[in-house]
Amino acid sequence: MGTGTILEVRGLEKHFGGLYALSGLDMEVRSGEIVSVIGPNGAGKSTLFNVVTGIYEPDAGDIRYEGVSIVGLRPHQVVKLGIARTFQSVRLFANMTILENAMVGQHCRSRGGVFGAILRTPGVRAEEERIRERAREALGFFGKRLSGYRLEQPAFSLSYANRRRLEMARALATDPKLLLLDEPTAGMNPRETLELRDHIVRMRDELGVTVIVIEHDMRVVKGVSDRVIACDYGQKIAEGTYEEVAHDERVIEAYLGTKAAG
Amino acid sequence: MARRWLRIGIPAGIVTIFLALVGLIGGFTDVYLIGDQISFAGLMLVLPAFVAGLVAAAPRVEGGERHEMRISEAAVAAAVAGAAAGATFALAAVLADWIGDERIRTVFLNVTPALMEFVTFGLATAIGALAVVAVSALAGVLGGVLRVAPASIRRPVTAAVIATLLFGFLQRVIPIALDQLSLERDWLYSPQFDGLTWIGALVVATVAAGISVLSTRFGTRLRGRLAGVTGVGGPMISPARVIAGVVALALLIAAPLLLGSVISEVLGTVMVFALLGIGLNIVVGYAGLLDLGYVFFFALGAYSLALLTGATLNAFGIPPEPVISGSLNFYVAIPIVMAIAAAAGVLVGAPVLRLRGDYLALVTLGLGEMVTVLVGSPWLVPLVGGPSGMRGITDAAIGGLAFRDPQRFYYLALAFVGLAAFVSWRLAASRIGRAWTAMREDEQTADAMGISTTRFKLLAFSIGGAIGSLGGALFAVKIGSLTPASFQVLVSIQVLGLVILGGMGSIPGVIVGALVLVGLPGLLREFEEYRFLAYGAAVVAIMVLRPQGLVPNVRRSRELQDEERAQDEWAKAAEEGETPPEIAPANGATT
């Protein structure tokens, strides 16, 4: 686990018409950290993820990943560099099996082409076996919940919590160095939420993945974060440990409104 | 209640009127299915009433519960629905008689005195009308009773009826095969009326019913045993599928020998369309890109093969010299044609990459239409001959063995279909197929998971295009000459139709689709002019009744079953007052 900066965001701006989703956001994430991004609805958290992963192109500012700018790259190129993500609204390939969903994650780490696929060369067969193995391993991260008989079941047959887990497993199957989790516990019951909290820590400790997590559940934020970044109106308004940020006046104001307004 | 039955019956009557007006009844009074009693026209007359009976006896769903009808209830409901259908039609017949058929004929050409006589059973109009109502009610009752009959009766009866009708329809095909095998045929097909004899029909029906009973009784056990012995029969391949596959393959190989050259001609066309279907299936079925301009690749393959193999312009006053000197052998030209088509696939694909769904369909439709216009335009006369086209296309000979003969051509085409099916199957089962599936499911997420959607869309267009061009090249060999008339937008629609009918993403489905949509109308020449009516009806029926297609993709149908099973478990668990399994798995949640 290195200690260098893995992700550096400088003066990031993204507008949708007149709406400033991001207006000059700065942040830095060091390798091996778990950083939580919090903020009220509409603070620009998901937009941040969408810009970092190449779904949107920023209007201004720079994003450096391992010291190299990744602005303007397409999403699939960003994944290949080692940044994987999950979505706030779970987005699985519903009619593919659970194993296949995870195997899609390995796509960017494999290269079998048309002729290899048609002739099924030994190289392609070995690669396919490796993809399958790696996908099983990623699913195995969540214990028995996504393995065994479930491997061959279509993703739509999963419960809500398992869909979220599968989405994370699929992201882990891309062999990421940096993982962006967008509200991973949304819609989970308290017990599942606590279980997931442990999983996030394990992703860092056992897999060595740096994690940025957008989260509303403060128990999770408190439990996992090395550092918390609070945003509002597309800008960073506070940064520090959970305790520091939780007692920051601007953060309280952003969540509860000013005293005069309240 | 009665209103519901009328709501079913009256539209069925209107369907019968429609069938009569388009000529499907009047034109077929002497096409006999069984003996000289049951004709195709007669079938058309009572079929809508029969279907109305089936529908009227369907279980009702009230408050989320299914109510199966008792037989007596079903018979009454179906009789009313059938009679309503008959009455609607009879009313139209009486009305037509009152107005006078010669006056109606100025608008509806098919309302002939023969039709009028047929639909009133040759009786006076009023009595005939009553007879129509009675016969329709009877047909309805048959449909209704069949619907509510227990499966042990319903299945064999359905099998018997379908088999008998199929044998009746194939009256131009099966007798030829029997002749080729030097088997006696007169007991099965009447030499006088062409259709089945009554004895023949009885034998066919009995055999079909027998097979149905046996397969229900022993099928499951046999399946289990076969799976145990051969190891075949995992979740992917059931032994029934393997057996069906082997039988189908044997039939495909033996067909031209059994059926002679006239039918082989039709089967050759079927194979060309199967090839087109396999290609389009990659674009539409695997990658989920709705392409309505597939005729582009068909034309490209045909014309580029013609040019490469030294075809000449089909025009007066021009000496028959190859357009391009230095003609190639067919087998050398084919890879070049495919390479050109693959490159063209990228060119066509590039501008439409950002379009989805309806927009993609519209743009590709336009691209396809451009091809028809281009090959017929004066501008390209020096290259492809314009409206008069080209001739003198290679017959794909190997040594002295030419392939223009329908039976030989069939085997050439079958070989290419086999090759294309193999390629398509291997691709679907690979990393590439997985990327296509992911892209079809959710394009943006696929991109965010590392799949270059641009690359895989272009790949689909290009491989689909290459296979389509192969279809075009074979078509050119088969016909020996080309005119723009063969490359209309209808080709795109036909190919899409057969892919949908067979089941998107399924290769056996494509072949079945081609046999049904291209083969059947070709075998029954009388139906040629109703081909597109049947197309439309078939596609609508499939989309409503069986959207996964006739022979669905194995994986998808398995998913559907799994979903049902999962729901069953869920419902059962909920009934027993337990927490459904998904929320609290048996292996225990570890917190």
Side-chain angles (χ1 to χ4, degrees):
Chain A
M1 245 173 272
T3 48
T5 302
I6 189 164
L7 187 77
E8 187 184 359
V9 173
R10 286 282 161 257
L12 203 59
E13 287 190 18
K14 178 71 198 172
H15 324 146
F16 297 102
L19 179 76
Y20 281 63
L22 294 174
S23 46
L25 182 85
D26 295 316
M27 67 180 278
E28 219 171 89
V29 177
R30 283 184 292 280
S31 199
E33 266 190 318
I34 299 178
V35 175
S36 294
V37 178
I38 63 168
N41 287 327
K45 305 179 301 286
S46 287
T47 308
L48 170 71
F49 276 17
N50 284 338
V51 173
V52 170
T53 54
I55 288 176
Y56 300 146
E57 210 168 314
D59 293 313
D62 197 11
I63 307 163
R64 291 182 164 270
Y65 170 72
E66 296 188 316
V68 184
S69 174
I70 56 168
V71 171
L73 293 185
R74 302 280 312 136
H76 63 91
Q77 294 168 315
V78 174
V79 180
K80 187 147 194 188
L81 290 176
I83 305 180
R85 70 168 297 175
T86 65
F87 291 88
Q88 187 180 346
S89 51
V90 189
R91 292 173 69 171
L92 293 169
F93 305 118
N95 290 309
M96 295 173 87
T97 67
I98 284 146
L99 183 62
E100 282 170 331
N101 264 277
M103 286 170 82
V104 169
Q106 268 285 300
H107 183 89
C108 62
R109 305 287 168 228
S110 53
R111 47 194 301 188
V114 174
F115 293 103
I118 294 169
L119 303 174
R120 214 170 260 182
T121 56
V124 164
R125 260 185 307 198
E127 183 184 82
E128 190 70 8
E129 199 39 56
R130 209 200 65 221
I131 293 173
R132 198 181 302 275
E133 209 34 61
R134 181 68 193 89
R136 280 217 184 90
E137 205 179 297
L139 292 168
F141 182 80
F142 293 97
K144 286 182 179 168
R145 291 193 183 280
L146 295 177
S147 48
Y149 76 100
R150 292 237 167 95
L151 286 179
E152 299 301 329
Q153 289 194 325
F156 65 66
S157 71
L158 288 178
S159 69
Y160 190 77
N162 270 341
R163 288 181 197 189
R164 285 222 174 264
R165 294 188 188 105
L166 176 56
E167 212 192 8
M168 281 180 253
R170 185 179 65 185
L172 287 176
T174 66
D175 296 336
K177 291 181 205 158
L178 175 61
L179 182 60
L180 312 182
L181 302 175
D182 198 344
E183 298 196 22
T185 69
M188 285 191 173
N189 68 33
R191 200 178 59 187
E192 290 161 343
T193 303
L194 291 179
E195 185 188 323
L196 190 71
R197 186 187 64 187
D198 300 339
H199 278 131
I200 295 175
V201 176
R202 275 181 53 215
M203 283 177 198
R204 193 261 314 266
D205 294 348
E206 292 174 18
L207 307 176
V209 180
T210 307
V211 181
I212 307 178
V213 53
I214 295 175
E215 189 48 68
H216 282 304
D217 189 318
M218 286 306 149
R219 286 168 305 169
V220 177
V221 174
K222 187 177 178 186
V224 302
S225 314
D226 296 316
R227 213 144 49 83
V228 177
I229 294 172
C231 299
D232 199 13
Y233 298 109
Q235 283 173 327
K236 182 167 74 184
I237 55 171
E239 182 177 354
T241 64
Y242 174 79
E243 298 300 327
E244 286 165 3
V245 172
H247 295 104
D248 188 284
E249 278 196 11
R250 292 185 62 191
V251 176
I252 296 167
E253 190 186 305
Y255 273 96
L256 302 176
T258 57
K259 275 176 189 158
Chain B
M1 241 23 257
R3 258 183 69 190
R4 187 178 115 84
W5 301 336
L6 291 183
R7 242 192 353 252
I8 297 163
I10 292 173
I14 293 171
V15 169
T16 321
I17 297 171
F18 173 77
L19 292 176
L21 291 183
V22 297
L24 266 173
I25 292 178
F28 297 95
T29 48
D30 51 1
V31 177
Y32 295 107
L33 293 177
I34 307 173
D36 64 343
Q37 282 83 24
I38 298 191
S39 66
F40 183 78
L43 183 69
M44 287 288 121
L45 188 62
V46 296
L47 193 63
F50 178 80
V51 174
L54 270 181
V55 177
R60 284 166 297 138
V61 179
E62 271 167 29
E65 277 184 62
R66 275 164 71 96
H67 297 277
E68 297 285 349
M69 282 193 179
R70 284 195 311 275
I71 286 204
S72 54
E73 265 181 299
V76 172
V80 174
T88 309
F89 183 75
L91 194 68
V94 170
L95 206 63
D97 188 59
W98 180 61
I99 298 172
D101 56 68
E102 64 285 349
R103 286 170 68 190
I104 296 178
R105 213 157 36 245
T106 55
V107 183
F108 297 107
L109 296 175
N110 292 309
V111 183
T112 58
L115 173 72
M116 294 306 293
E117 197 190 319
F118 180 78
V119 299
T120 50
F121 304 112
L123 304 166
T125 311
I127 305 170
L130 287 178
V132 167
V133 176
V135 170
S136 300
L138 191 66
V141 170
L142 287 178
V145 170
L146 185 64
R147 177 71 176 243
V148 293
S152 60
I153 296 171
R154 192 180 64 230
R155 285 212 190 107
V157 171
T158 313
V161 170
I162 290 177
T164 313
L165 289 182
L166 197 65
F167 270 69
F169 279 123
L170 294 178
Q171 55 187 260
R172 305 285 156 73
V173 180
I174 295 171
I176 297 177
L178 293 176
D179 280 346
Q180 293 284 329
L181 295 168
S182 351
L183 292 173
E184 184 56 41
R185 49 169 274 195
D186 287 353
W187 62 274
L188 187 58
Y189 285 96
S190 154
Q192 202 180 344
F193 306 112
D194 293 337
L196 287 167
T197 60
W198 279 100
I199 295 173
L202 202 64
V203 170
V204 170
T206 315
V207 170
I211 290 176
S212 165
V213 169
L214 288 179
S215 77
T216 321
R217 185 162 304 168
F218 300 111
T220 335
R221 206 187 306 165
L222 190 70
R223 203 170 297 165
R225 197 172 300 166
L226 260 178
V229 174
T230 58
V232 180
M236 292 298 283
I237 311 158
S238 74
R241 251 175 197 274
V242 174
I243 294 169
V246 170
V247 170
L249 199 65
L251 278 180
L252 280 178
I253 290 172
L257 299 177
L258 289 178
L259 302 176
S261 74
V262 177
I263 291 169
S264 297
E265 164 92 39
V266 174
L267 289 178
T269 312
V270 170
M271 285 299 130
V272 167
F273 272 86
L275 209 46
L276 293 173
I278 290 171
L280 185 64
N281 183 45
I282 289 180
V283 183
V284 181
Y286 293 166
L289 305 164
L290 185 51
D291 182 354
L292 291 182
Y294 200 61
V295 66
F296 174 90
F297 297 103
F298 184 54
L300 188 72
Y303 277 99
S304 53
L305 179 89
L307 288 171
L308 286 170
T309 56
T312 60
L313 295 185
N314 194 7
F316 272 127
I318 299 176
E321 257 177 47
V323 181
I324 295 177
S325 53
S327 64
L328 297 172
N329 179 288
F330 173 79
Y331 301 93
V332 179
I334 278 292
I336 302 175
V337 168
M338 290 178 74
I340 293 173
V346 174
L347 285 181
V348 174
V352 298
L353 272 179
R354 294 191 174 278
L355 302 174
R356 274 181 221 172
D358 326 0
Y359 301 99
L360 178 70
L362 280 175
V363 173
T364 51
L365 185 67
L367 283 172
E369 190 62 12
M370 277 166 58
V371 172
T372 318
V373 174
L374 269 182
V375 292
S377 73
W379 185 52
L380 283 181
V381 165
L383 191 63
V384 297
S388 51
M390 306 182 82
R391 66 186 142 126
I393 294 158
T394 175
D395 54 12
I398 305 176
L401 193 69
F403 282 98
R404 180 132 318 133
D405 166 77
Q407 273 154 307
R408 287 205 199 130
F409 174 81
Y410 173 85
Y411 285 111
L412 180 71
L414 185 66
F416 277 104
V417 167
L419 201 66
F422 176 77
V423 165
S424 169
W425 167 63
R426 278 284 171 91
L427 284 175
S430 74
R431 168 180 178 267
I432 294 168
R434 203 160 46 234
W436 279 333
T437 314
M439 193 169 81
R440 187 185 66 216
E441 295 262 319
D442 185 339
E443 194 179 323
Q444 207 183 17
T445 307
D447 196 6
M449 285 301 124
I451 293 165
S452 165
T453 49
T454 310
R455 187 163 166 246
F456 280 89
K457 278 186 189 179
L458 289 181
L459 196 64
F461 270 118
S462 154
I463 295 174
I467 294 177
S469 74
L470 205 54
L474 281 173
F475 176 77
V477 169
K478 180 175 193 287
I479 306 292
S481 62
L482 297 174
T483 60
S486 307
F487 304 98
Q488 301 294 327
V489 72
L490 273 176
V491 174
S492 304
I493 308 294
Q494 264 178 299
V495 178
L496 188 65
L498 70 89
V499 171
I500 291 172
L501 188 77
M504 283 202 219
S506 153
I507 300 166
V510 166
I511 293 169
V512 170
L515 278 170
V516 172
L517 280 192
V518 184
L520 280 187
L523 293 179
L524 300 162
R525 290 280 170 201
E526 298 94 331
F527 291 89
E528 194 64 37
E529 58 179 304
Y530 299 102
R531 170 179 272 194
F532 290 104
L533 181 68
Y535 263 44
V539 170
V540 169
I542 279 285
M543 290 327 276
V544 173
L545 299 175
R546 202 179 152 89
Q548 73 272 38
L550 290 177
V551 190
N553 180 317
V554 183
R555 202 173 58 113
R556 281 201 210 165
S557 68
R558 182 168 48 106
E559 282 162 8
L560 289 173
Q561 288 165 5
D562 276 353
E563 185 188 23
E564 272 174 27
R565 215 171 293 142
Q567 282 174 351
D568 285 353
E569 263 171 43
W570 208 86
K572 208 185 290 169
E575 231 166 63
E576 288 161 11
E578 293 168 12
T579 329
E582 262 298 335
I583 292 173
N587 49 42
T590 47
T591 16

Short mmCIF file of all heavy atoms in Angstrom, two decimals, chain B residues 180-215:
data_model
loop_
_atom_site.label_atom_id
_atom_site.label_comp_id
_atom_site.label_asym_id
_atom_site.label_seq_id
_atom_site.Cartn_x
_atom_site.Cartn_y
_atom_site.Cartn_z
N GLN B 180 -39.79 -40.72 -54.05
CA GLN B 180 -38.33 -40.90 -54.12
C GLN B 180 -37.90 -42.14 -53.35
O GLN B 180 -36.96 -42.81 -53.72
CB GLN B 180 -37.61 -39.68 -53.53
CG GLN B 180 -37.79 -38.40 -54.34
CD GLN B 180 -36.94 -38.39 -55.59
OE1 GLN B 180 -35.86 -38.97 -55.60
NE2 GLN B 180 -37.41 -37.77 -56.64
N LEU B 181 -38.60 -42.38 -52.24
CA LEU B 181 -38.26 -43.56 -51.44
C LEU B 181 -38.97 -44.80 -51.96
O LEU B 181 -38.94 -45.85 -51.33
CB LEU B 181 -38.65 -43.32 -49.98
CG LEU B 181 -37.87 -42.20 -49.26
CD1 LEU B 181 -38.53 -41.86 -47.95
CD2 LEU B 181 -36.43 -42.63 -49.05
N SER B 182 -39.62 -44.68 -53.10
CA SER B 182 -40.46 -45.72 -53.71
C SER B 182 -41.42 -46.34 -52.69
O SER B 182 -41.51 -47.55 -52.57
CB SER B 182 -39.66 -46.83 -54.39
OG SER B 182 -38.33 -46.54 -54.46
N LEU B 183 -42.08 -45.48 -51.92
CA LEU B 183 -43.09 -45.97 -50.98
C LEU B 183 -44.47 -45.73 -51.57
O LEU B 183 -44.66 -44.80 -52.36
CB LEU B 183 -42.97 -45.25 -49.64
CG LEU B 183 -41.71 -45.55 -48.82
CD1 LEU B 183 -41.63 -44.65 -47.61
CD2 LEU B 183 -41.69 -47.01 -48.40
N GLU B 184 -45.40 -46.56 -51.21
CA GLU B 184 -46.79 -46.38 -51.64
C GLU B 184 -47.31 -45.07 -51.04
O GLU B 184 -47.10 -44.80 -49.86
CB GLU B 184 -47.62 -47.57 -51.15
CG GLU B 184 -49.05 -47.57 -51.60
CD GLU B 184 -49.18 -47.51 -53.12
OE1 GLU B 184 -48.39 -48.20 -53.84
OE2 GLU B 184 -50.04 -46.77 -53.58
N ARG B 185 -48.00 -44.25 -51.84
CA ARG B 185 -48.44 -42.96 -51.33
C ARG B 185 -49.95 -42.77 -51.44
O ARG B 185 -50.49 -41.88 -50.81
CB ARG B 185 -47.75 -41.83 -52.07
CG ARG B 185 -47.81 -41.97 -53.58
CD ARG B 185 -47.37 -40.75 -54.26
NE ARG B 185 -48.49 -39.83 -54.39
CZ ARG B 185 -48.47 -38.78 -55.18
NH1 ARG B 185 -47.39 -38.50 -55.87
NH2 ARG B 185 -49.52 -37.99 -55.29
N ASP B 186 -50.60 -43.57 -52.28
CA ASP B 186 -52.01 -43.29 -52.55
C ASP B 186 -52.90 -43.45 -51.34
O ASP B 186 -53.97 -42.85 -51.27
CB ASP B 186 -52.51 -44.16 -53.70
CG ASP B 186 -51.94 -43.69 -55.03
OD1 ASP B 186 -51.29 -42.62 -55.01
OD2 ASP B 186 -52.12 -44.38 -56.04
N TRP B 187 -52.47 -44.26 -50.36
CA TRP B 187 -53.30 -44.41 -49.17
C TRP B 187 -53.25 -43.16 -48.31
O TRP B 187 -54.18 -42.85 -47.58
CB TRP B 187 -52.83 -45.61 -48.33
CG TRP B 187 -51.41 -45.45 -47.83
CD1 TRP B 187 -50.27 -45.77 -48.48
CD2 TRP B 187 -51.02 -44.90 -46.58
NE1 TRP B 187 -49.17 -45.46 -47.73
CE2 TRP B 187 -49.61 -44.93 -46.55
CE3 TRP B 187 -51.72 -44.40 -45.47
CZ2 TRP B 187 -48.88 -44.46 -45.47
CZ3 TRP B 187 -50.98 -43.93 -44.40
CH2 TRP B 187 -49.57 -43.96 -44.40
N LEU B 188 -52.14 -42.42 -48.41
CA LEU B 188 -51.96 -41.24 -47.55
C LEU B 188 -52.52 -39.99 -48.23
O LEU B 188 -53.27 -39.23 -47.64
CB LEU B 188 -50.48 -41.07 -47.24
CG LEU B 188 -50.11 -39.99 -46.24
CD1 LEU B 188 -50.80 -40.23 -44.90
CD2 LEU B 188 -48.60 -39.96 -46.04
N TYR B 189 -52.12 -39.78 -49.49
CA TYR B 189 -52.58 -38.60 -50.20
C TYR B 189 -53.47 -39.03 -51.36
O TYR B 189 -53.09 -39.89 -52.15
CB TYR B 189 -51.39 -37.80 -50.73
CG TYR B 189 -50.69 -37.04 -49.63
CD1 TYR B 189 -49.59 -37.56 -49.00
CD2 TYR B 189 -51.17 -35.79 -49.24
CE1 TYR B 189 -48.96 -36.87 -47.98
CE2 TYR B 189 -50.56 -35.09 -48.22
CZ TYR B 189 -49.45 -35.64 -47.60
OH TYR B 189 -48.84 -34.94 -46.60
N SER B 190 -54.63 -38.43 -51.42
CA SER B 190 -55.57 -38.79 -52.47
C SER B 190 -55.04 -38.35 -53.83
O SER B 190 -54.73 -37.18 -54.03
CB SER B 190 -56.90 -38.10 -52.18
OG SER B 190 -57.60 -37.91 -53.38
N PRO B 191 -54.92 -39.27 -54.81
CA PRO B 191 -54.43 -38.88 -56.13
C PRO B 191 -55.42 -37.97 -56.85
O PRO B 191 -55.06 -37.22 -57.74
CB PRO B 191 -54.28 -40.22 -56.87
CG PRO B 191 -55.02 -41.23 -56.07
CD PRO B 191 -55.24 -40.70 -54.70
N GLN B 192 -56.68 -38.02 -56.40
CA GLN B 192 -57.72 -37.25 -57.07
C GLN B 192 -57.78 -35.80 -56.57
O GLN B 192 -57.88 -34.86 -57.34
CB GLN B 192 -59.05 -37.95 -56.78
CG GLN B 192 -60.13 -37.64 -57.76
CD GLN B 192 -61.39 -38.39 -57.37
OE1 GLN B 192 -61.35 -39.34 -56.56
NE2 GLN B 192 -62.51 -37.97 -57.91
N PHE B 193 -57.70 -35.65 -55.23
CA PHE B 193 -57.90 -34.32 -54.66
C PHE B 193 -56.62 -33.70 -54.08
O PHE B 193 -56.66 -32.65 -53.46
CB PHE B 193 -58.96 -34.38 -53.55
CG PHE B 193 -60.24 -35.00 -53.99
CD1 PHE B 193 -60.66 -36.22 -53.50
CD2 PHE B 193 -61.04 -34.34 -54.93
CE1 PHE B 193 -61.84 -36.77 -53.91
CE2 PHE B 193 -62.23 -34.90 -55.35
CZ PHE B 193 -62.64 -36.13 -54.84
N ASP B 194 -55.48 -34.38 -54.19
CA ASP B 194 -54.18 -33.89 -53.71
C ASP B 194 -54.01 -33.92 -52.19
O ASP B 194 -52.93 -34.17 -51.70
CB ASP B 194 -53.88 -32.46 -54.19
CG ASP B 194 -53.67 -32.44 -55.69
OD1 ASP B 194 -53.33 -33.50 -56.24
OD2 ASP B 194 -53.86 -31.37 -56.30
N GLY B 195 -55.09 -33.65 -51.46
CA GLY B 195 -54.97 -33.60 -50.00
C GLY B 195 -54.84 -34.99 -49.40
O GLY B 195 -54.73 -35.99 -50.10
N LEU B 196 -54.86 -35.03 -48.05
CA LEU B 196 -54.81 -36.32 -47.37
C LEU B 196 -56.08 -37.10 -47.65
O LEU B 196 -57.15 -36.53 -47.81
CB LEU B 196 -54.70 -36.10 -45.86
CG LEU B 196 -53.38 -35.61 -45.29
CD1 LEU B 196 -53.57 -35.16 -43.85
CD2 LEU B 196 -52.34 -36.70 -45.35
N THR B 197 -55.97 -38.43 -47.67
CA THR B 197 -57.18 -39.25 -47.67
C THR B 197 -57.67 -39.32 -46.23
O THR B 197 -56.92 -39.02 -45.30
CB THR B 197 -56.89 -40.67 -48.16
OG1 THR B 197 -55.93 -41.24 -47.26
CG2 THR B 197 -56.32 -40.67 -49.55
N TRP B 198 -58.91 -39.74 -46.04
CA TRP B 198 -59.42 -39.82 -44.67
C TRP B 198 -58.65 -40.85 -43.87
O TRP B 198 -58.35 -40.64 -42.70
CB TRP B 198 -60.92 -40.13 -44.67
CG TRP B 198 -61.71 -38.87 -44.90
CD1 TRP B 198 -62.26 -38.46 -46.07
CD2 TRP B 198 -61.97 -37.85 -43.95
NE1 TRP B 198 -62.86 -37.24 -45.91
CE2 TRP B 198 -62.70 -36.84 -44.60
CE3 TRP B 198 -61.64 -37.69 -42.60
CZ2 TRP B 198 -63.12 -35.68 -43.96
CZ3 TRP B 198 -62.07 -36.53 -41.95
CH2 TRP B 198 -62.80 -35.55 -42.64
N ILE B 199 -58.31 -41.96 -44.54
CA ILE B 199 -57.51 -42.98 -43.84
C ILE B 199 -56.15 -42.41 -43.47
O ILE B 199 -55.68 -42.55 -42.33
CB ILE B 199 -57.36 -44.24 -44.72
CG1 ILE B 199 -58.74 -44.88 -44.93
CG2 ILE B 199 -56.37 -45.22 -44.11
CD1 ILE B 199 -58.73 -46.01 -45.92
N GLY B 200 -55.55 -41.72 -44.43
CA GLY B 200 -54.24 -41.11 -44.18
C GLY B 200 -54.30 -40.15 -43.01
O GLY B 200 -53.45 -40.17 -42.12
N ALA B 201 -55.33 -39.30 -43.01
CA ALA B 201 -55.47 -38.32 -41.94
C ALA B 201 -55.60 -39.01 -40.59
O ALA B 201 -54.99 -38.60 -39.60
CB ALA B 201 -56.70 -37.44 -42.21
N LEU B 202 -56.38 -40.09 -40.60
CA LEU B 202 -56.60 -40.84 -39.35
C LEU B 202 -55.27 -41.41 -38.84
O LEU B 202 -54.95 -41.33 -37.65
CB LEU B 202 -57.59 -41.97 -39.62
CG LEU B 202 -58.33 -42.51 -38.40
CD1 LEU B 202 -59.21 -41.43 -37.81
CD2 LEU B 202 -59.14 -43.74 -38.77
N VAL B 203 -54.48 -41.97 -39.78
CA VAL B 203 -53.19 -42.55 -39.39
C VAL B 203 -52.27 -41.46 -38.83
O VAL B 203 -51.68 -41.62 -37.75
CB VAL B 203 -52.54 -43.26 -40.60
CG1 VAL B 203 -51.10 -43.65 -40.26
CG2 VAL B 203 -53.35 -44.46 -41.01
N VAL B 204 -52.19 -40.34 -39.55
CA VAL B 204 -51.31 -39.24 -39.10
C VAL B 204 -51.73 -38.78 -37.71
O VAL B 204 -50.91 -38.65 -36.79
CB VAL B 204 -51.36 -38.07 -40.10
CG1 VAL B 204 -50.67 -36.85 -39.51
CG2 VAL B 204 -50.70 -38.46 -41.40
N ALA B 205 -53.04 -38.57 -37.54
CA ALA B 205 -53.54 -38.07 -36.26
C ALA B 205 -53.25 -39.07 -35.14
O ALA B 205 -52.79 -38.68 -34.05
CB ALA B 205 -55.03 -37.80 -36.35
N THR B 206 -53.48 -40.36 -35.41
CA THR B 206 -53.24 -41.37 -34.38
C THR B 206 -51.78 -41.42 -33.98
O THR B 206 -51.43 -41.45 -32.79
CB THR B 206 -53.67 -42.76 -34.90
OG1 THR B 206 -54.94 -42.63 -35.53
CG2 THR B 206 -53.76 -43.75 -33.77
N VAL B 207 -50.91 -41.41 -35.01
CA VAL B 207 -49.48 -41.48 -34.71
C VAL B 207 -49.05 -40.27 -33.89
O VAL B 207 -48.35 -40.39 -32.87
CB VAL B 207 -48.66 -41.59 -36.02
CG1 VAL B 207 -47.17 -41.42 -35.73
CG2 VAL B 207 -48.92 -42.92 -36.69
N ALA B 208 -49.50 -39.08 -34.29
CA ALA B 208 -49.10 -37.87 -33.58
C ALA B 208 -49.59 -37.91 -32.14
O ALA B 208 -48.85 -37.61 -31.20
CB ALA B 208 -49.66 -36.64 -34.30
N ALA B 209 -50.86 -38.33 -31.96
CA ALA B 209 -51.40 -38.40 -30.61
C ALA B 209 -50.63 -39.42 -29.79
O ALA B 209 -50.29 -39.18 -28.62
CB ALA B 209 -52.88 -38.78 -30.66
N GLY B 210 -50.30 -40.56 -30.43
CA GLY B 210 -49.54 -41.59 -29.73
C GLY B 210 -48.19 -41.09 -29.28
O GLY B 210 -47.79 -41.27 -28.12
N ILE B 211 -47.48 -40.40 -30.17
CA ILE B 211 -46.16 -39.87 -29.81
C ILE B 211 -46.30 -38.89 -28.64
O ILE B 211 -45.52 -38.92 -27.68
CB ILE B 211 -45.50 -39.17 -31.02
CG1 ILE B 211 -45.11 -40.22 -32.06
CG2 ILE B 211 -44.27 -38.38 -30.59
CD1 ILE B 211 -44.55 -39.65 -33.33
N SER B 212 -47.34 -38.07 -28.72
CA SER B 212 -47.55 -37.09 -27.66
C SER B 212 -47.75 -37.77 -26.31
O SER B 212 -47.15 -37.40 -25.30
CB SER B 212 -48.74 -36.20 -28.01
OG SER B 212 -49.17 -35.50 -26.88
N VAL B 213 -48.61 -38.82 -26.29
CA VAL B 213 -48.87 -39.54 -25.04
C VAL B 213 -47.60 -40.18 -24.50
O VAL B 213 -47.24 -40.03 -23.33
CB VAL B 213 -49.95 -40.62 -25.26
CG1 VAL B 213 -50.03 -41.55 -24.05
CG2 VAL B 213 -51.29 -39.97 -25.52
N LEU B 214 -46.87 -40.85 -25.42
CA LEU B 214 -45.64 -41.53 -24.99
C LEU B 214 -44.63 -40.55 -24.43
O LEU B 214 -44.00 -40.80 -23.41
CB LEU B 214 -45.03 -42.29 -26.17
CG LEU B 214 -45.79 -43.56 -26.59
CD1 LEU B 214 -45.10 -44.20 -27.78
CD2 LEU B 214 -45.88 -44.53 -25.43
N SER B 215 -44.48 -39.40 -25.13
CA SER B 215 -43.43 -38.48 -24.68
C SER B 215 -43.82 -37.85 -23.35
O SER B 215 -42.95 -37.55 -22.53
CB SER B 215 -43.16 -37.41 -25.73
OG SER B 215 -44.17 -36.45 -25.69
#
